Amino acid sequence: DAGVTQSPTHLIKTRGQQVTLRCSPKSGHDTVSWYQQALGQGPQFIFQYYEEEERQRGNFPDRFSGHQFPNYSSELNVNALLLGDSALYLCASSLARTQYFGPGTRLLVL
Amino acid sequence: ELKVEQNPLFLSMQEGKNYTIYCNYSTTSDRLYWYRQDPGKSLESLFVLLSNGAVKQEGRLMASLDTKARLSTLHITAAVHDLSATYFCAVDINGNQFYFGTGTSLTVIP
């Protein structure tokens, strides 16, 4: 049984660009959450998707948007990238509250 | 705003010694998690604590939860080098949001 997978593993972008990160949940999981982890800090909740709808959102600007597909996979989109968006982006999937984390996508904004 | 605070932030301890990491949170929650993170890696689930007074043990780690005091502890017994990592607690708000603590960076010295 494959766990949570994320792509790409690493990404380099320049300020002002847009980026899309992808997440495939663990088999049978219907809920996907996204987190941003800056260097040396704990993960910060961005939003959670369930049944293709954004169910909850953390304190992140509208530049951060997402989508969930019928197969439960999810995308995180970030527009107008800032240097401060450089971080490890973690996806977590869950079926009954316990979250399982993917390996993350490391984004560097230059 | 929900706050999850861990202390200490940094912990350097000798092999064979015991120590406790504390996690305080500012709102009611019925579920608390402990995670381990190695440098550059994702989060590894250690414990899920579901009720007041819950205690779980795995190897040299033991976690407990006091929901009335809004306090969880992670106790390390007879530390070994392999336990060197960053440890996070996370508070689950109704399964929709995880709030992570600041993290405790543990270094076990031979």
Side-chain angles (χ1 to χ4, degrees):
Chain A
D1 174 27
V4 180
T5 60
Q6 292 185 242
S7 64
T9 56
H10 296 82
L11 203 51
I12 300 175
K13 291 285 187 179
T14 56
R15 281 178 297 174
Q17 285 189 312
Q18 179 263 345
V19 68
T20 298
L21 311 181
R22 295 176 176 82
C23 172
S24 291
K26 192 174 170 65
S27 178
H29 286 190
D30 58 4
T31 303
V32 172
S33 302
W34 286 92
Y35 296 83
Q36 180 195 66
Q37 186 178 22
L39 195 63
Q41 297 184 21
Q44 300 291 312
F45 174 75
I46 302 175
F47 42 54
Q48 184 182 80
Y49 276 84
Y50 172 71
E51 292 189 343
E52 302 181 51
E53 295 287 334
E54 183 182 290
R55 179 158 69 176
Q56 197 75 31
R57 188 179 184 92
N59 189 25
F60 278 80
D62 292 344
R63 299 188 296 110
F64 290 77
S65 63
H67 188 78
Q68 185 179 35
F69 299 94
N71 66 352
Y72 305 125
S73 67
S74 177
E75 289 181 349
L76 164 65
N77 300 292
V78 187
N79 294 323
L81 283 167
L82 304 174
L83 295 179
D85 294 332
S86 295
L88 178 68
Y89 288 85
L90 294 165
C91 165
S93 74
S94 56
L95 177 61
R97 295 183 69 176
T98 298
Q99 297 195 354
Y100 295 83
F101 284 83
T105 294
R106 190 164 296 280
L107 172 65
L108 177 61
V109 182
L110 301 176
Chain B
E1 179 182 334
L2 172 64
K3 290 186 178 180
V4 183
E5 296 179 336
Q6 288 180 235
N7 70 83
L9 298 182
F10 298 94
L11 175 57
S12 180
M13 57 190 296
Q14 286 188 314
E15 280 189 334
K17 298 293 186 181
N18 305 330
Y19 209 84
T20 300
I21 299 171
Y22 297 88
C23 172
N24 290 90
Y25 52 98
S26 62
T27 195
T28 302
S29 173
D30 65 344
R31 188 173 291 214
L32 187 136
Y33 298 78
W34 282 96
Y35 289 91
R36 167 182 172 144
Q37 188 174 40
D38 291 296
K41 303 294 186 181
S42 188
L43 298 167
E44 174 190 353
S45 178
L46 296 174
F47 300 107
V48 180
L49 302 169
L50 301 177
S51 61
N52 187 43
V55 177
K56 288 197 173 180
Q57 183 164 4
E58 180 72 32
R60 302 176 187 273
L61 301 177
M62 182 174 70
S64 66
L65 178 63
D66 181 343
T67 58
K68 294 179 181 178
R70 298 179 183 171
L71 171 68
S72 180
T73 62
L74 180 66
H75 186 73
I76 302 158
T77 301
V80 293
H81 180 69
D82 286 351
L83 291 179
S84 296
T86 299
Y87 293 85
F88 291 97
C89 63
V91 173
D92 178 353
I93 306 298
N94 298 322
N96 293 340
Q97 296 189 60
F98 269 35
Y99 288 90
F100 280 82
T102 46
T104 296
S105 177
L106 171 65
T107 302
V108 180
I109 303 168

